Amino acid sequence: MTPPSGPSNFIRDIIIDDLKTGKFAGRVQTRFPPEPNGYLHIGHAKSIWLNFGLAAEFGGKTNLRFDDTNPEKEETEYVDSIMDTVRWLGYDWEDRLFYASDYFPQLYEWALQLIRAGKAYVCDLSAEEVRKTRGTLTEPGIESPYRNRSVEENLDLFERMKAGEFPDGARTLRARIDMASANLNLRDPVMYRILHAEHHRTGSQWCIYPMYDFAHGQSDSVERVTHSICTLEFEDHRPLYDWYIEALGIYHPQQIEFDRLNLTYTLLSKRKLLSLVQNGHVRGWDDPRMPTLSGIRRRGYTPEALRSFCGAIGVSKTNGIIELGLLEHHVREDLNRRAARVMAVLRPLRVVIDNYPEGQVEEMEAVNNPEDASAGTRRVPFSRVLYIEQEDFREDPPKQYFRLSPGREVRLRYAYFITCTHAVKNDRGEVVEIHCTYDPETRGGNAPDGRKVKSTIHWVSAAHAVDAEVRLYENLFSKENPNETKEGEDFTANLNPHSLEVLAGAKAEPSLAGAAAGSRYQFERLGYFCVDPDSAAGRLVFNRTVALRDTWAKIQSRDQKGAGH
Ligand code: ATP
Ligand code: MG
């Protein structure tokens, strides 16, 4: 066994204990059991990380199992994207890919076994009547009039259900447990329903389908899962899973519940994410604003960052909510280590350096990654006409603004000190170009006379720049809890109208020409960016993954608050 190395948590402690006592003969077998009814989201990453991470740490195995018991909402598209995503996160189920639908014949046999034991019966009540007779937390339910059917009659009816003799919803198979149980899940739950629907794998072979609760625990049992890890809302279902397993006398996995991941400004419900896609609020499941793993990936988040985030948030027995900022922190930390630094200008302002020789080009040496010496250096062309960021120039600089303004000297990153002489405006009075002089003595960024400048700004050479579209993102929702709405509104009322801003005229240094989709960079002073698959030859598209912390924005908002705005 590899020595334990993962972050400690209560599930890990249970596994360590079970290994000590030999509860499962030293085995650790887990599974990740998604329902293929949507794309995976960041919440699933926590479950994947736990199931695959814990098993790997203790020399165990993890299965990927699609819980495909609901033919109406499931699609092969989802199956494919889920597999792709789990692999991207860095995990491998090897040859252990399973489907709950593989177990339909076995589950059917087990249903017959329970009928023969007098523990299941065919009920003719409608779904509505079943609901009505279920009782409440304070009142017991009412026993179904069909509860005492003979075994023979039940076997006959169940076989005819399977043979397709009855329409959808006409009958169900129910477990015969206890209509007065304090746990509502034990009040004769439905095991099978009639549904004449095509299944993505079994086609029209079946017209009765097991309920999730009748399939889930037994699927774990078939796969000899040791630690069946699931989220807290299934705690109340555990007695039912245990009841089925014991009534059938089959191998008994141990279910352990943990807290779901919730994030501020984020919705993690496949149903709601699907409605965002279907109603065109986002561009698709992989829209970089989506909390889906395909969206997060397209935005430029790394699997390493997600795994370290999962390690940091911990695992507990009570539901809480995690700051979105913590996720972004892990993304920044990881990208800071690995992303190449480059210069790009999002909102270009033309700068002419009047005393720089026309036609001259110098190659400036630039460091690719100060965090990683092995990343080396590159050469960035410098010439007489450059672009800088519009916001790096103010004609009328406020206090504490140290960037370029008339008469002010600043450093151009990896190049020279420049001093602004004057600005050129258009008819509307907007600055369209500024003029500067440079000090040839300051090549590389230092003045021989030791004079200092208070700021360093980035730039690109106009003649050499490559054009780019840059997509800036804000939180998809403007409320910390997107579900908190006024009466008559739904969560879409909390969508942030500014969640996407497209900058069509950005300019990037020439080393970015032809960058492959998925490549990640730090644009100096601006943030981390990732090449979007919408890029084509000669047309780069970048997503802003996450901004760098912007001290100026902080000063500005503090000043505004101070001024009573
Ligand atoms: P959703 O409510 O988003 O549809 P789900 O629980 O129905 O999610 P499944 O496909 O059934 O989605 O989930 C597969 C596994 O991922 C389950 O074990 C589930 O408990 C876990 N999971 C789902 N959402 C989260 C979350 N937010 N945090 C942690 N684990 C989660
Ligand atoms: Mg589900």
Side-chain angles (χ1 to χ4, degrees), residues 463-494:
H464 303 88
V466 292
D467 293 320
E469 173 182 315
V470 175
R471 299 173 183 170
L472 302 179
Y473 302 103
E474 283 181 13
N475 296 342
L476 187 52
F477 293 97
S478 29
K479 270 238 175 83
E480 207 169 284
N481 174 3
N483 285 320
E484 189 187 296
T485 49
K486 294 197 204 96
E487 237 189 87
E489 289 181 346
D490 74 351
F491 66 95
T492 56
N494 291 325

Side-chain angles (χ1 to χ4, degrees), residues 188-249:
D188 291 12
V190 173
M191 294 162 56
Y192 268 90
R193 58 193 172 136
I194 302 173
L195 196 63
H196 294 264
E198 283 276 314
H199 186 277
H200 76 121
R201 296 192 78 240
T202 59
S204 52
Q205 195 184 333
W206 295 87
C207 63
I208 54 171
Y209 289 95
M211 302 302 288
Y212 178 83
D213 280 348
F214 186 64
H216 190 74
Q218 287 95 296
S219 300
D220 282 344
S221 177
V222 173
E223 294 174 20
R224 299 191 78 75
V225 166
T226 55
H227 302 85
S228 169
I229 304 169
C230 65
T231 38
L232 282 170
E233 69 273 21
F234 294 103
E235 195 164 9
D236 286 349
H237 296 241
R238 175 157 33 96
L240 176 57
Y241 301 154
D242 289 349
W243 188 90
Y244 286 135
I245 297 270
E246 273 151 35
L248 293 167

Side-chain angles (χ1 to χ4, degrees), residues 167-184:
D168 288 359
R171 295 193 153 92
T172 55
L173 183 71
R174 296 176 68 179
R176 200 167 182 274
I177 308 180
D178 179 6
M179 287 306 290
S181 171
N183 184 332
L184 270 72

